[in-house]
Amino acid sequence: MKKIKRVMDLAPLMLLWLVLCAFFWGKVFMSLTDTAPENKIVLFVDARVSDTTALALEMEKEMDAPIEMVKVYPFTYAMMGSEALSAADLYIVPQGHVQEYAEWFAQEPEKVLIYDGTTGAAAQYISYADLPGESYYIFYGKNSVHLSDGQAEKFAQVLLKLP
């Protein structure tokens, strides 16, 4: 009985240790698998993406210095906070949601059409059919660090060439 009581007295400390270890190793993992914003392209898609990793790998085939990686996320990734969403380099958004997210866009040229309601680019990765007949556009993020170096535009062109 005394042994069980000792173990129960240690349970809160063991739980605290477990939580601290999870935070520590999570931070280590994130630092090893991520890079600075200057070295990555971040794309957010306002549609269902069947395989974000495959789309990112396809886009990475065209990368050169200083870009080291491409990250692709659906908008639902940022449900708890819009900090990552508002700092993205590229967005793919349906026509019906353009005004809703307009504050994040830095569109110098006209809207870039990626899907016209029937056919479009990167269709093997992005489920445009969730909003039938809706057109989708690529926008550059106004907080993107890649507006001035041309990388955001380059990767928008890469997206447009994907089947």
Side-chain angles (χ1 to χ4, degrees):
M1 189 60 113
K2 268 188 162 185
K3 288 183 182 183
I4 293 175
K5 181 163 177 24
R6 265 194 238 159
V7 170
M8 294 306 287
D9 287 343
L10 290 175
L13 289 175
M14 288 190 283
L15 285 173
L16 178 63
W17 180 251
L18 179 67
V19 169
L20 290 174
C21 284
F23 280 120
F24 173 76
W25 287 111
K27 188 77 169 165
V28 168
F29 179 76
M30 287 300 293
S31 70
L32 292 174
T33 60
D34 204 2
T35 188
E38 301 81 36
N39 299 328
K40 68 180 171 183
I41 294 289
V42 178
L43 166 67
F44 272 91
V45 182
D46 190 13
R48 202 165 21 93
V49 182
S50 61
D51 191 351
T52 58
T53 305
L55 178 55
L57 289 173
E58 193 65 36
M59 291 174 66
E60 284 180 355
K61 291 178 182 176
E62 300 293 325
M63 73 182 179
D64 52 13
I67 304 302
E68 297 172 358
M69 69 173 50
V70 175
K71 296 280 191 172
V72 177
Y73 303 107
F75 269 48
T76 55
Y77 175 82
M79 286 179 96
M80 296 302 180
S82 63
E83 184 178 319
L85 189 60
S86 64
D89 299 301
L90 296 169
Y91 302 92
I92 297 178
V93 179
Q95 176 64 45
H97 296 176
V98 169
Q99 291 304 317
E100 185 177 343
Y101 307 123
E103 68 188 55
W104 295 330
F105 304 152
Q107 206 64 358
E108 290 137 15
E110 289 297 312
K111 296 188 278 189
V112 179
L113 182 69
I114 190 168
Y115 180 78
D116 66 7
T118 55
T119 60
Q124 69 185 37
Y125 304 104
I126 302 170
S127 298
Y128 297 113
D130 289 348
L131 296 171
E134 185 93 43
S135 295
Y136 283 75
Y137 295 91
I138 298 176
F139 292 92
Y140 305 112
K142 78 174 182 184
N143 297 322
S144 171
V145 296
H146 297 293
L147 285 177
S148 59
D149 67 7
Q151 292 293 331
E153 186 175 346
K154 174 189 173 186
F155 279 92
Q157 294 304 316
V158 167
L159 273 167
L160 290 169
K161 293 177 186 171
L162 292 178

